[in-house]
Amino acid sequence: MNAQELKQYRTKLFTDVYSGIIPERFPVIDGISIDYIIQYGNTDIMKAQYSFTKESVLNMYEKIMDILRGDMFPSAHARNPVALMFQQSRTMTMGSNGFIQHPETSNMEADEYDEFIENPFDFLCEKVLPRQNPGFDTDPITRSLAFAKYVLASMDFGRIVAEVGRELSEKYGFFASPAGSAIGQSVPFDFLADMNRGFTKIPMDIKRQPQKVVDACEALVPYLVWKGMNPVTSLLGNNMIMTHMAPFLSTKDFEKFYWPTFLKICHICAERGQAMQIFCESDWTRFVDHMQDLPQGTRLWMEYGDPQKFKDKLGKKMVLEGFYPLTLLKNGTKQQCIDKAKELIDILAPGGNFIFRFDKSALSLNDLNTENYIATLEYVLENSKYDNAGELVTTAKTEDSIVKYSHLYPEFKSKYIVSFDEFKKVYPPVDDRIEPLMRSAYNKYTNMVLPFM
Amino acid sequence: MIDLKALTASVGELDEEKVMEVLRGFVSTNPSEEDAQKVVAACQSGMAIVGDLYEKGEYFVGDLIFAGELLTSAINTLKPVLGTGSSASVGSIVLGTVAGDLHDIGKNIFKSMSEAAGFVVYDLGIDQPAGAFVEKVKEINPVVVGMSGVLTLALEAMKDTVDALKEAGLRDSVKIIIGGNPVTKEACEQIGADAFTTNAAEGVKICQGWVK
């Protein structure tokens, strides 16, 4: 197959799986992060991140092609230290080894819940962002300059990521989601815990002011739904949820604080035709019954847990990925690595709704023995064929699995997000001829900047 | 004197209101320092219950974090009647998150549970180079060195730290425990640590075994 044919073939594999059809073979995804790719090219990771260019990133990817075997382009998306520098971010910082991480911070006080619940977005803009980013906690002029530099640096890097992804997907025939159809989706409890109160403060709130936590999660729904609106809705795209705190909560607390708004966000996305991709951090086996209520076709990337139990309970309804322990590729023998792949394929592949993927992506060179990695993926690819391709995974219909919640929430609004109709009252067009041009330009640049808030 | 068993049980149940009410009542009676130490010990025993319930899967990480906060509030409430003398330490631990890693939640949970078990903990903080561990071990001469990390690359930094302790001639004078998401039996052997755990409560028990 030439690259174009390969791309079409791979796109068909994903299209089938995402549509609930048994594909010719199950798709396979590499387990390689951008951090690994930088190091694989013998590049100084610290300096490389501060000096990304399209050429430097293309060069790194050309080298990693030696070991890639999967069907999907491994995204070049990375945390951008240049943007973080202008933010003076406290929530994303570089360790002494050059890896950017999310240290524990608390950016909201226990007695600020009422203000938060009243209008989460305004509170985030006014209080939380300056605390997270001392670069924005200055006089208005300095803050405006810092924000402009942060947005420009982010957009420069975003353009590199997009161009590299597009070029290499074409050149090597990778499947890639259509531009604008894949987006990060925050969910209320993790958003409140990770970025606002902090992982170590939220357990106090659960005990001391439980109703405020519930109310804050509910108040976040309209904003997070709006924030997760991808410009392009596509079966081949997704809203990606990176979960965090669920396995650290008791089941009772999970049911009270975590799951209700999480589930609603997923259904609200599904209502507009957008599938979710959920990375279930740590072990979600305790929550397997709760997960049966997610919309049909939700893609679940599991880190740990009992794959048989997930297959039995969710295999017909959800697409399952993950479970393969990446650490085995470093410590195991080649045969042990292959045996593990066989074990998981035997459990998860029958009946479809399966994509082969590792439990996490390799971060440092030391995470992998590349011989094991290649041998495992080649074994997986050789054993990925279905003899009943084209059959339906289930006769159940996706639309019947979606519960409508969107009407229960008000439309997201903030005084900081001004429509053109409002704006033109203070800055009217000098002539009707240019009103549509002004409107178009206004919306274009507003929509470019808002994601950075 | 208050009912120490009931206090221990309340700490174990994470019943903050009851614990604080009992402690405030106790402090208002202007008790002796000796009695105050008994009350501290009762609270610490409550932490052992929390650790056991965590190991049984009845409590989760969120509960451990809350328990640490509860114990800190309890000791702060008792401070005015504790006097200057402190209870005897069972041993000392030099603790830190290793070089390159910025995560500290697990380390902090282990710290508060170790302190509740009577250890004196010298916490170096996050992203600590091998040299910082070596210097502190020279200074304190602890029983235990605890290294924490979340990223897989923390394992390399743990090995570097153990090697640095060996080079400084300090390895054989301490027990080394590693903790965090990526640690395994194999990693423990490669690193040259004495024990590993992904469970703070278990980690404290391992340290207690070393000072018996």
Side-chain angles (χ1 to χ4, degrees):
Chain A
M1 275 190 258
N2 65 32
Q4 202 48 40
E5 289 164 346
L6 189 56
K7 187 175 168 61
Q8 279 173 10
Y9 172 74
R10 285 165 159 170
T11 303
K12 172 85 163 64
L13 298 179
F14 281 93
T15 308
D16 282 350
V17 174
Y18 291 164
S19 311
I21 294 169
I22 311 253
E24 188 176 322
R25 66 166 174 83
F26 57 75
V28 174
I29 297 180
D30 276 292
I32 301 286
S33 69
I34 178 76
D35 305 86
Y36 186 96
I37 293 171
I38 297 170
Q39 297 161 84
Y40 191 78
N42 286 324
T43 316
D44 176 341
I45 187 165
M46 206 178 265
K47 283 166 72 178
Q49 292 175 95
Y50 273 101
S51 54
F52 280 133
T53 62
K54 186 175 161 189
E55 289 66 36
S56 73
V57 179
L58 276 172
N59 196 27
M60 291 168 197
Y61 272 82
E62 290 291 356
K63 287 184 180 151
I64 201 72
M65 289 306 299
D66 292 351
I67 64 166
L68 293 188
R69 293 293 185 275
D71 297 308
M72 186 189 275
F73 179 74
S75 169
H77 176 74
R79 291 157 176 168
N80 176 0
V82 178
L84 295 171
M85 171 173 78
F86 295 120
Q87 293 169 271
Q88 297 178 35
S89 175
R90 293 170 63 239
T91 57
M92 292 292 168
T93 59
M94 187 179 272
S96 59
N97 51 6
F99 288 85
I100 299 173
Q101 298 156 55
H102 170 43
E104 164 76 350
T105 58
S106 179
N107 302 294
M108 169 185 163
E109 299 299 324
D111 60 5
E112 290 180 320
Y113 268 94
D114 288 339
E115 209 182 328
F116 183 94
I117 292 162
E118 178 71 27
N119 192 327
F121 183 75
D122 290 2
F123 182 83
L124 291 168
C125 290
E126 292 162 10
K127 301 278 172 72
V128 176
L129 280 176
R131 292 171 188 166
Q132 290 174 335
N133 306 292
F136 303 156
D137 189 16
T138 63
D139 65 88
I141 294 169
T142 308
R143 182 191 306 142
S144 304
L145 291 170
F147 189 77
K149 289 181 244 183
Y150 148 69
V151 170
L152 286 172
S154 301
M155 293 189 72
D156 267 351
F157 183 59
R159 189 163 46 240
I160 292 171
V161 170
E163 287 177 6
V164 167
R166 201 162 44 239
E167 281 185 27
L168 294 183
S169 294
E170 292 301 322
K171 183 173 176 187
Y172 292 104
F174 284 113
F175 163 70
S177 294
S181 68
I183 197 168
Q185 172 69 63
S186 302
V187 284
F189 188 87
D190 277 332
F191 184 83
L192 181 66
D194 277 347
M195 291 298 174
N196 295 281
R197 284 293 284 145
F199 192 107
T200 54
K201 300 287 184 192
I202 202 94
M204 317 305 153
D205 302 338
I206 282 177
K207 299 272 187 200
R208 292 171 183 164
Q209 40 184 351
Q211 192 55 43
K212 301 265 190 211
V213 177
V214 171
D215 292 347
C217 288
E218 283 290 342
L220 274 167
V221 172
Y223 164 54
L224 296 182
V225 166
W226 172 83
K227 189 167 177 266
M229 292 285 268
N230 23 17
V232 175
T233 299
S234 166
L235 176 72
L236 298 178
N238 63 64
N239 275 34
M240 175 82 192
I241 300 177
M242 299 298 290
T243 68
H244 191 198
M245 279 210 79
F248 302 108
L249 301 174
S250 68
T251 306
K252 199 169 114 249
D253 287 342
F254 172 85
E255 287 171 351
K256 180 168 182 180
F257 301 103
Y258 193 95
W259 190 241
T261 48
F262 186 113
L263 189 66
K264 286 177 195 166
I265 292 256
C266 292
H267 280 278
I268 290 170
C269 272
E271 258 184 83
R272 63 178 172 87
Q274 189 59 61
M276 318 300 294
Q277 162 88 53
I278 305 174
F279 174 64
C280 296
E281 180 174 320
S282 195
D283 188 344
W284 278 56
T285 307
R286 268 194 294 143
F287 311 129
V288 67
D289 288 328
H290 301 84
M291 293 161 91
Q292 290 178 339
D293 294 334
L294 288 164
Q296 183 172 313
T298 299
R299 303 148 200 176
L300 301 173
W301 176 9
M302 311 306 302
E303 188 173 13
Y304 310 133
D306 176 354
Q308 186 68 60
K309 194 176 251 181
F310 279 86
K311 184 66 178 176
D312 292 345
K313 298 229 176 191
L314 302 174
K316 285 272 173 210
K317 195 171 177 187
M318 316 298 175
V319 177
L320 294 174
E321 311 166 9
F323 292 113
Y324 189 109
L326 188 85
T327 49
L328 186 61
L329 297 176
K330 174 175 167 53
N331 299 317
T333 63
K334 198 179 283 181
Q335 195 55 47
Q336 284 172 325
C337 294
I338 288 171
D339 289 348
K340 186 72 190 174
K342 181 177 186 319
E343 178 194 321
L344 286 170
I345 291 169
D346 287 347
I347 294 170
L348 295 166
N353 262 357
F354 172 59
I355 294 173
F356 183 89
R357 190 173 212 173
F358 299 100
D359 63 346
K360 54 178 86 65
S361 297
L363 188 65
S364 87
L365 287 183
N366 206 30
D367 286 348
L368 291 184
N369 169 333
T370 50
E371 275 183 33
N372 284 349
Y373 180 81
I374 292 168
T376 302
L377 282 186
E378 289 185 346
Y379 171 84
V380 168
L381 284 163
E382 281 161 20
N383 292 277
S384 59
K385 286 257 167 39
Y386 284 103
D387 52 19
N388 56 342
E391 287 180 14
L392 288 178
V393 171
T394 173
T395 51
K397 293 205 170 348
T398 303
E399 52 268 33
D400 295 341
S401 73
I402 299 167
V403 184
K404 291 192 163 55
Y405 289 109
S406 60
H407 63 287
L408 301 176
Y409 291 95
E411 189 190 346
F412 169 70
K413 278 188 183 144
S414 162
K415 64 187 175 201
Y416 298 115
I417 300 171
V418 180
S419 69
F420 182 68
D421 289 324
E422 284 298 308
F423 177 75
K424 75 179 185 185
K425 288 178 192 163
V426 293
Y427 195 82
V430 290
D431 188 285
D432 282 350
R433 275 155 48 223
I434 57 165
E435 199 271 359
L437 300 174
M438 278 177 71
R439 181 183 294 274
S440 165
Y442 182 89
N443 289 337
K444 176 183 164 187
Y445 289 102
T446 303
N447 292 337
M448 277 164 78
V449 170
L450 279 178
F452 297 101
M453 294 286 280
Chain B
M1 186 63 178
I2 58 173
D3 182 343
L4 295 176
K5 276 192 184 157
L7 177 63
T8 297
S10 297
V11 173
E13 288 159 14
L14 302 176
D15 188 340
E16 184 179 35
E17 247 172 67
K18 200 185 268 180
V19 169
M20 299 315 285
E21 187 191 319
V22 168
L23 294 182
R24 279 191 289 265
F26 171 72
V27 170
S28 69
T29 61
N30 199 20
S32 70
E33 206 176 309
E34 194 189 343
D35 280 351
Q37 287 297 348
K38 284 181 190 162
V39 171
V40 170
C43 290
Q44 290 174 334
S45 301
M47 279 294 271
I49 295 175
V50 172
D52 287 343
L53 290 173
Y54 175 73
E55 286 197 78
K56 283 184 194 157
E58 289 178 38
Y59 278 171
F60 294 87
V61 169
D63 299 304
L64 296 185
I65 293 170
F66 183 77
E69 167 87 1
L70 176 59
L71 193 71
T72 305
S73 313
I75 305 287
N76 285 341
T77 307
L78 291 166
K79 254 184 192 153
V81 293
L82 276 174
T84 50
S86 59
S87 54
S89 142
V90 298
S92 54
I93 301 176
V94 166
L95 179 68
T97 302
V98 293
D101 200 315
L102 306 178
H103 296 86
D104 64 357
I105 295 169
K107 169 180 75 62
N108 292 347
I109 294 171
F110 175 77
K111 180 186 175 189
S112 71
M113 295 186 78
S114 307
E115 286 176 340
F119 287 94
V120 175
V121 180
Y122 298 87
D123 183 2
L124 298 170
I126 57 174
D127 199 353
Q128 290 298 309
F133 281 90
V134 169
E135 286 311 307
K136 203 68 184 174
V137 169
K138 271 187 196 160
E139 180 194 334
I140 303 299
N141 192 24
V143 181
V144 177
V145 172
M147 295 189 285
S148 175
V150 166
L151 306 177
T152 48
L153 44 92
L155 300 177
E156 295 163 54
M158 287 175 180
K159 182 159 188 352
D160 292 344
T161 309
V162 173
D163 290 346
L165 286 168
K166 273 184 196 159
E167 211 166 285
L170 299 165
R171 173 63 186 93
D172 296 336
S173 67
V174 292
K175 289 287 190 184
I176 298 179
I177 182 166
I178 56 173
N181 188 44
V183 305
T184 58
K185 185 166 170 283
E186 293 77 23
C188 181
E189 283 164 9
Q190 280 169 9
I191 287 163
D194 296 299
F196 75 98
T197 184
T198 54
N199 171 335
E202 182 191 65
V204 173
K205 282 192 181 159
I206 292 168
C207 294
Q208 283 173 321
W210 286 333
V211 295
K212 260 183 189 163

